[in-house]
Amino acid sequence: MTAPSTYGLSTQARNLQWLLTDLVEEVPGVNSVAVVSSDGLLLLSSDPGGAAAENPARTKGPRGASADLATIVSGLGSLTTGAADLMDGGAVKQTMVAMEYGSVFVMAISDGSLLGVHATPDCDMSVVAYHMALFVGRAGHVLTPEVRSELRQSMEKTT
């Protein structure tokens, strides 16, 4: 896990980090996960490491870098929200981009934050989406302004 040590963090922040780690470790095909605040700042990140080395065909795109995935998640969130506004489509719940060498999923969290997952091309998309929905359901009420601030500060210390 590339997120900072849980030492000194509140119970809520530690629980979110545990949920993120669980998502990566328990869902087959997940390469990395990021939670981005509504203003585009990385709050939580997980990277099991070695994903690029294990798949030599993966020559483009984020190499497990938290900042890369966070940027992509934030950009997709902004783009799809703008598209939904133009089409009077209401709130965007989930975005999925299928690529030759992987997939990116973005799901809205109730506080305006976004959960992003980068997965392998052969992942079971319905399983990934299901586990993302579980994370969103569990994390939505925990991501208070205080916890978001704590997580931001924690991420800043590690960079």
Side-chain angles (χ1 to χ4, degrees):
M1 176 134 158
T2 60
S5 164
T6 59
Y7 179 76
L9 294 180
S10 67
T11 301
Q12 293 89 350
R14 285 194 313 269
N15 285 343
L16 286 171
Q17 288 182 337
W18 178 83
L19 285 170
L20 192 81
T21 300
D22 191 53
L23 179 63
V24 171
E25 292 176 355
E26 299 298 320
V27 181
V30 170
N31 289 328
S32 57
V33 180
V35 175
V36 181
S37 67
S38 59
D39 54 355
L41 296 174
L42 180 63
L43 298 177
L44 286 171
S45 170
S46 181
D47 184 356
E54 293 171 15
N55 184 1
R58 200 174 139 215
T59 58
K60 297 180 181 176
R63 306 278 188 266
S66 325
D68 288 347
L69 183 58
T71 300
I72 292 165
V73 168
S74 182
L76 282 172
S78 180
L79 178 66
T80 55
T81 297
D85 287 346
L86 286 172
M87 295 183 217
D88 294 326
V92 177
K93 297 179 182 180
Q94 182 176 355
T95 303
M96 196 276 296
V97 179
M99 302 168 287
E100 187 175 359
Y101 298 120
S103 298
V104 175
F105 302 82
V106 179
M107 191 173 285
I109 300 175
S110 62
D111 72 328
S113 299
L114 299 168
L115 171 64
V117 172
H118 176 231
T120 61
D122 60 344
C123 73
D124 185 332
M125 293 180 190
S126 62
V127 171
V128 173
Y130 172 76
H131 283 277
M132 287 177 71
L134 288 178
F135 181 94
V136 166
R138 294 173 181 156
H141 68 283
V142 177
L143 273 171
T144 62
E146 295 81 17
V147 173
R148 285 193 305 270
S149 177
E150 179 182 4
L151 291 170
R152 275 189 213 135
Q153 290 172 1
S154 180
M155 289 301 291
E156 288 172 3
K157 290 178 186 177
T158 63
T159 56

